[in-house]
Amino acid sequence: MAGTGTLSPPLATALGTYFVWTCLFLLGHLRDFLRNMFFSRTKKKGYAPIRQDYEDFYTRRMYYRVHDCWNRPICSAPTNWIDVMERSEVNGQNPINVTGRTIRCLNLGSYNYLGFAAHDAYCTPRVNACMKAYGWGPCSSRGDAGTLPVHVQLEKEMAEYLGKEDCITCGMGFATNSTFIPVLAEKGTLFLSDALNHASIVSGVRGSGAKVKVFSHNEPEQLEAILRAVIAEGQPRTGRPWKKIIIIIEGIYSMEGEMAKLKEIVEIKKKYKAYLYLDEAHSIGALGATGRGVCEAFGVDSKDVDIMMGTFTKSFGSCGGYIAGDKKLIDYLRAHCAAHLYSTAMSGPAVEMVLSALRVVRGMDGTTSGKDKIERLRKNSNYFRGKLLEMGLNVLGDWDSPVMPIMMFKPTSLVACSREMLKRGVAVVVVGFPATPLLTARVRVCISACHTKEDLDFALDMFRDVGNLLGIAYRSKDNLKHLTAARNSGVELML
């Protein structure tokens, strides 16, 4: 993997991780055996079990031991500091309950990249006015009576911002991929999907019923080799040419913090006359001098990307997603996509929030606030990444990326880090098996433009304490090389 970190743990750490998982697995099955032997359970006569024990073995015997590290509720806006609702301690498989108290925490878990999720002097009054004009929700689909003037205006301005002819919005980011991708497929379609694409892309490709081939993460060379082979071989059994081949990648990979090698992939897709679908959920608004994502960051013309997807849940502080492309494509999606025809449309206030934030980013509010936010996000991200690397932590991703997964590898370190950081007033997201492979448990940090230097230094002090406690400084020597290379290439590491 490129970037500043690696997914490969040291040998001793890998062996220790396998040992921990093996012990948990054996102990869980022993407890299941003893329960079935000595504790009878009533069953409905004539009914098959609604679930089998093996179906939720992981949940019962492993997850419930540590489920306090996930699903932590908050009771404040997701700005730089949040109020986390305190919960009772883990007690077997019993639910953990809120105590009525809160813990004030520095927020390193939300996708609030540009800081629009809290009160904003420009956006908030316009959202309130929109709510008074249109109410909480349209109570109808876009295909029926759910299209408001703000929907039409947002699609128009988003298309202009991205350099595309037209744009269509969807009320949910996940559904933008999972429901629009199947509409792009027909018999004879082949998808070439990055191995680390988001679950929403995987869901959409599976739902399409089309053939799919997976290429190694961010490896243009292997992508080209697969393209050459599938074009030469044609469709299975018949050997007929593929009607269309669609390459699907992400701008920033949400669990790795790594940017797509867009220039190389665009060259390949042009060479072999394939289509390119780019998911910019984490890169739109966060990368590029004006926030236009990886295309701007790498100097790629957006016209070379056939289908541009993104969400409004990160940089724009709202909900939903979009697809941008040629007008014929968008008209086709409007006529055929179930999410557009049957799902309730985005609420007017949510659309107005995106529209107002977009105008701030574009400078249409008459200030440089949007440009300043983007620049501050870039500086915050590089400063924080540089300091983590100086500590010797294994940090995935690229410079300028606001997503920073810190590798824990061991499930014990993952859980301990989550609990210790919460004790110290820092809210982080932890991700482990089965959301990631067995050996690649990680803490994912998301940086925001609303973080101050004092906020970041506080978080770094806490990571230093917890890192020393858990012994997770895996890459001291390698990190020095990355830091030296970054300084030589002009990356600004200081605030």
Side-chain angles (χ1 to χ4, degrees), residues 155-198:
E155 290 172 347
K156 177 178 179 293
E157 293 191 21
M158 200 70 200
E160 291 174 356
Y161 180 62
L162 297 170
K164 289 296 183 182
E165 292 180 2
D166 204 354
C167 176
I168 183 173
T169 58
C170 178
M172 179 183 176
F174 190 99
T176 307
N177 278 329
S178 63
T179 62
F180 280 87
I181 287 176
V183 183
L184 299 172
E186 59 179 323
K187 190 175 181 181
T189 297
L190 174 66
F191 287 110
L192 298 181
S193 182
D194 188 285
L196 296 183
N197 273 341
H198 191 264

Side-chain angles (χ1 to χ4, degrees), residues 79-80 106-113 254 282 314 377 381 384 401-406 427-429 443-451 456 463:
T79 183
N80 55 333
L106 178 65
N107 181 13
L108 294 181
S110 299
Y111 303 131
N112 186 23
Y113 296 143
S254 61
H282 289 267
K314 282 83 178 175
L377 174 64
S381 300
F384 200 78
S401 170
V403 182
M404 295 173 209
I406 304 169
V428 295
V429 171
V443 172
R444 185 177 64 179
V445 170
C446 291
I447 300 300
S448 171
C450 65
H451 284 133
L456 300 178
F463 269 115

Side-chain angles (χ1 to χ4, degrees), residues 443-477:
V443 172
R444 185 177 64 179
V445 170
C446 291
I447 300 300
S448 171
C450 65
H451 284 133
T452 64
K453 184 177 185 297
E454 291 72 24
D455 293 336
L456 300 178
D457 286 339
F458 171 73
L460 289 165
D461 288 340
M462 298 305 104
F463 269 115
R464 186 175 292 105
D465 289 347
V466 173
N468 292 336
L469 179 67
L470 302 179
I472 53 175
Y474 296 113
R475 285 174 58 83
S476 300
K477 293 182 180 179

Side-chain angles (χ1 to χ4, degrees), residues 413-430:
S413 297
L414 183 76
V415 172
C417 184
S418 175
R419 290 172 176 168
E420 291 297 324
M421 292 299 279
L422 184 64
K423 287 179 186 177
R424 290 163 169 77
V426 181
V428 295
V429 171
V430 294

Side-chain angles (χ1 to χ4, degrees), residues 28-41:
H29 277 291
L30 177 61
R31 294 183 67 181
D32 276 3
F33 173 76
L34 294 175
R35 183 189 64 178
N36 294 333
M37 284 289 291
F38 300 108
F39 299 95
S40 61
R41 291 179 297 168

Side-chain angles (χ1 to χ4, degrees), residues 5-77:
T6 176
L7 285 169
S8 302
L11 178 59
T13 302
L15 293 175
T17 302
Y18 280 128
F19 177 75
V20 170
W21 280 111
T22 302
C23 289
L24 288 171
F25 181 81
L26 294 176
L27 183 60
H29 277 291
L30 177 61
R31 294 183 67 181
D32 276 3
F33 173 76
L34 294 175
R35 183 189 64 178
N36 294 333
M37 284 289 291
F38 300 108
F39 299 95
S40 61
R41 291 179 297 168
T42 57
K43 297 180 180 179
K44 289 185 179 181
K45 189 175 181 180
Y47 282 82
I50 197 166
R51 61 161 182 78
Q52 299 290 345
D53 284 347
Y54 64 81
E55 292 176 338
D56 64 350
F57 173 80
Y58 173 84
T59 302
R60 288 184 295 104
R61 297 305 182 196
M62 299 181 190
Y63 172 71
Y64 275 127
R65 292 172 176 268
V66 294
H67 65 137
D68 60 306
C69 297
W70 287 271
N71 305 313
R72 288 173 179 154
I74 68 170
C75 54
S76 64

Side-chain angles (χ1 to χ4, degrees), residues 172-446:
M172 179 183 176
F174 190 99
T176 307
N177 278 329
S178 63
T179 62
F180 280 87
I181 287 176
V183 183
L184 299 172
E186 59 179 323
K187 190 175 181 181
T189 297
L190 174 66
F191 287 110
L192 298 181
S193 182
D194 188 285
L196 296 183
N197 273 341
H198 191 264
S200 59
I201 295 175
V202 175
S203 177
V205 170
R206 285 176 177 169
S208 71
K211 298 292 183 182
V212 58
K213 285 188 177 290
V214 177
F215 61 93
S216 297
H217 172 59
N218 227 4
E219 290 290 347
E221 296 83 2
Q222 192 191 40
L223 170 62
E224 182 172 15
I226 293 174
L227 258 174
R228 246 193 334 260
V230 297
I231 290 173
E233 295 168 3
Q235 297 183 46
R237 293 188 298 275
T238 65
R240 293 176 181 172
W242 295 99
K243 290 187 177 179
K244 57 186 170 186
I245 298 174
I246 303 175
I247 302 166
I248 306 185
I249 59 173
E250 296 184 43
I252 292 179
Y253 290 86
S254 61
M255 286 296 172
E256 289 72 36
E258 190 177 6
M259 300 178 202
K261 295 180 179 177
L262 188 60
K263 274 191 173 181
E264 295 90 332
I265 292 174
V266 165
E267 289 175 4
I268 291 169
K269 83 101 183 174
K270 284 181 174 179
K271 181 178 178 181
Y272 294 94
K273 305 296 188 291
Y275 293 103
L276 179 59
Y277 182 110
L278 175 62
D279 178 341
E280 290 219 82
H282 289 267
S283 52
I284 190 68
L287 293 180
T290 61
R292 285 177 167 83
V294 285
C295 287
E296 183 177 39
F298 292 133
V300 173
D301 191 337
S302 63
K303 292 182 175 62
D304 291 332
V305 179
D306 305 284
I307 306 150
M308 301 185 76
M309 177 270 176
T311 64
F312 303 131
T313 53
K314 282 83 178 175
S315 295
F316 300 100
S318 187
C319 63
Y322 66 85
I323 297 283
D326 295 342
K327 191 174 188 315
K328 287 183 178 180
L329 168 67
I330 303 304
D331 286 343
Y332 176 79
L333 295 177
R334 287 195 178 103
H336 293 87
C337 183
H340 182 79
L341 296 171
Y342 307 119
S343 297
T344 301
M346 285 177 68
S347 70
V351 176
E352 180 59 44
M353 179 64 228
V354 181
L355 187 57
S356 298
L358 179 61
R359 288 171 176 172
V360 173
V361 169
R362 298 179 73 185
M364 296 171 67
D365 62 334
T367 72
T368 61
S369 176
K371 183 179 179 181
D372 294 342
K373 284 175 179 284
I374 295 166
E375 179 66 10
R376 191 158 57 248
L377 174 64
R378 183 186 64 80
K379 289 183 176 180
N380 283 354
S381 300
N382 289 340
Y383 173 74
F384 200 78
R385 182 181 294 276
K387 292 298 183 182
L388 291 176
L389 292 176
E390 287 178 8
M391 294 181 204
L393 300 181
N394 186 348
V395 187
L396 302 184
D398 291 315
W399 297 103
D400 294 352
S401 170
V403 182
M404 295 173 209
I406 304 169
M407 299 306 296
M408 298 287 114
F409 299 119
K410 295 180 288 188
T412 48
S413 297
L414 183 76
V415 172
C417 184
S418 175
R419 290 172 176 168
E420 291 297 324
M421 292 299 279
L422 184 64
K423 287 179 186 177
R424 290 163 169 77
V426 181
V428 295
V429 171
V430 294
V431 189
F433 180 82
T436 66
L438 205 63
L439 291 178
T440 59
R442 66 201 71 177
V443 172
R444 185 177 64 179
V445 170
C446 291

